[in-house]
Amino acid sequence: MLKPGTPPMPELPETFSAPSLTNSVVVQSAWWHTFESSELDQLINQALTNSPSLDQVWARLSQAEATATRLGAARLPSIDLTGSASRTEALNAGADTEHYSAGAAASFELDLWGRVNAVQMAAAIDAIGARDAVETAAMSLSAEVANRWHQLIARKREYEILQQQLHANQTSLDLIELRFRKSLSTGLAVLQQRQTVEATAALLPLAERAEKTAALELARLLGTTEPVALTTPHLLELSPLPAPGIPADLLEQRPDVRRARNALEAAGWRVAAARAERFPAIRLTGRIESNKPTAEALFDDWFSTLAGSLTSPLFNAGASRATIRQNEAVLRERFAAYRETLINAVQEVEQALNLEHTQATYAKAVTVRLDAAQQAYDEAVSRYRNGAVDYTTVLFQLNTLQQLERAQISAHADQIAYRIALYRALGGNWTAELVDSGESP
């Protein structure tokens, strides 16, 4: 139904161009189980049950299913029961009269041109697409909860590290002041260490604010205003990489891709329905009824009527053609959206694999630098005590060491975030088991 000249569907590559993965596993169930954290399991299950944003998507699914059922009813005859009773009283001379009637009427449209079927098919596919929207939202929600949970843990660890650093810096300041009073240190060393203490203390409110923000964001995703009390003290260690499979797997593993494909198919059916609207509509009606002056005789005799009608558009000032053009434009839009979704899906996996690989390398480099900085700081302190270097050297190594301690937490947290992004980009089939817990029985 697409016009000539429409861009072709993009060809999916046979494999992803990520570095060869020698240590990978196939994830068969919900991806967050790979973190082996009961707390994370509980938080994601709570979000999938209580999130108001997910409830809205579930409600839209119910609406779409009801619409599909209503439109699908047009493919079957409609039957109505009728009944009436009346009494006429004579004001002057004459007899009072009564009239009773009962009957049933049925009507049915012959779908010779496929209009009714096309409308019903479009609605049914919309309902399937609404289910895909639920699964897309659930997949995004689970990833967001995992991200906010890890960020909250990271912010707590950064705050704890800053407190430890502030305590260590204050202890060093006390020792330097003691050395200064014994003429073993200079006033400049005291001032420099005081500056370091104040600089570390100034970072604590920012770390506290970041922790509070992360806690509020996590509570919002869980559908509550109560703060979350975490029981996991440290960032989790990552399991082996998930096997990415091949790009063609994304067609079924990602609900957003399925949704875009279903939207394209539904648009095609609506074009067919719009074209069928230009043909005559044939409708059959049947009626059986009884009319009697008394209620007792109402069911003695019945009369049946069978009729057919034909309605054909003659002139509507081009409205039918405009409707067809509109639906064809929607079809073209849906096709472009499907192409874009496919391209984005492949690129998201490629990007996630690239970030995962490079961040792992960077995190290892930070660890190596941290070990070297610790050794350099210890050596600087030893030489300072022996009078071989001034305190500026010690202070430089101290600042480097403490910055790297905080950078190591950030590097690990970012690596976890990129792993979650990879799981999210790969999709999965765990969403097929979701049920609407808020639906009325």
Side-chain angles (χ1 to χ4, degrees), residues 274-275 277-278 316-328:
R275 291 175 176 173
E277 286 281 1
R278 302 178 64 188
N316 55 16
S320 297
R321 291 183 179 274
T323 301
I324 294 174
R325 290 199 303 271
Q326 178 188 9
N327 283 278
E328 288 176 343

Side-chain angles (χ1 to χ4, degrees), residues 146-416:
N147 260 324
R148 295 297 184 271
W149 180 66
H150 281 97
Q151 287 178 7
L152 181 55
I153 296 174
R155 300 295 86 82
K156 284 182 173 293
R157 286 293 300 139
E158 288 175 355
Y159 188 78
E160 293 170 358
I161 288 292
L162 280 172
Q163 287 182 316
Q164 295 171 7
Q165 292 176 349
L166 179 60
H167 177 73
N169 292 342
Q170 184 61 52
T171 301
S172 297
L173 176 58
D174 295 340
L175 293 175
I176 293 173
E177 289 177 339
L178 178 62
R179 288 172 61 88
F180 174 72
R181 289 193 293 269
K182 293 182 179 181
S183 300
L184 298 176
S185 181
T186 65
L188 178 60
V190 174
L191 294 175
Q192 288 176 328
Q193 185 59 30
R194 284 179 181 173
Q195 185 179 17
T196 299
V197 170
E198 294 302 326
T200 305
L203 294 176
L204 282 173
L206 300 180
E208 185 178 6
R209 181 179 66 187
E211 179 183 340
K212 181 65 174 179
T213 300
L216 291 174
E217 291 177 347
L218 179 57
R220 175 182 60 83
L221 293 172
L222 298 178
T224 180
T225 57
E226 297 295 328
V228 180
L230 298 186
T231 60
T232 305
H234 302 288
L235 289 171
L236 303 179
E237 295 298 325
L238 290 174
S239 60
L241 275 168
I246 59 176
D249 293 340
L250 300 179
L251 297 176
E252 296 301 329
Q253 291 181 353
R254 289 194 42 147
D256 59 329
V257 174
R258 299 197 304 267
R259 183 186 181 190
R261 182 180 60 199
N262 288 326
L264 173 61
E265 186 176 352
W269 281 108
R270 287 192 169 91
V271 170
R275 291 175 176 173
E277 286 281 1
R278 302 178 64 188
F279 296 100
I282 301 176
R283 194 167 192 86
L284 300 178
T285 59
R287 183 177 181 85
I288 182 172
E289 60 183 342
S290 176
N291 294 281
K292 293 294 180 180
T294 62
E296 293 78 5
L298 181 62
F299 300 102
D300 292 343
D301 298 310
W302 292 91
F303 300 92
S304 64
T305 304
L306 180 65
S309 65
L310 183 146
T311 304
S312 179
L314 181 62
F315 175 76
N316 55 16
S320 297
R321 291 183 179 274
T323 301
I324 294 174
R325 290 199 303 271
Q326 178 188 9
N327 283 278
E328 288 176 343
V330 172
L331 176 63
R332 190 166 63 251
E333 177 191 357
R334 296 291 185 267
F335 181 75
Y338 182 43
R339 292 178 60 243
E340 182 180 27
T341 304
L342 276 178
I343 294 172
N344 289 342
V346 175
Q347 292 302 314
E348 285 175 5
V349 176
E350 292 281 11
Q351 181 74 335
L353 288 170
N354 175 52
L355 291 173
E356 167 82 29
H357 174 70
T358 55
Q359 186 64 23
T361 304
Y362 171 72
K364 291 180 181 178
V366 170
T367 300
V368 172
R369 288 183 59 197
L370 180 60
D371 293 339
Q374 182 66 59
Q375 296 176 13
Y377 172 71
D378 294 340
E379 181 65 20
V381 170
S382 177
R383 293 196 175 197
Y384 171 71
R385 290 172 178 172
N386 295 328
V389 297
D390 58 17
Y391 192 72
T392 303
T393 302
V394 176
L395 192 61
F396 173 79
Q397 296 300 334
L398 175 63
N399 290 334
T400 301
L401 174 62
Q402 292 184 346
Q403 289 175 6
L404 286 173
E405 286 176 342
R406 299 193 294 270
Q408 186 182 42
I409 296 176
S410 297
H412 190 186
D414 288 344
Q415 189 176 4
I416 293 175

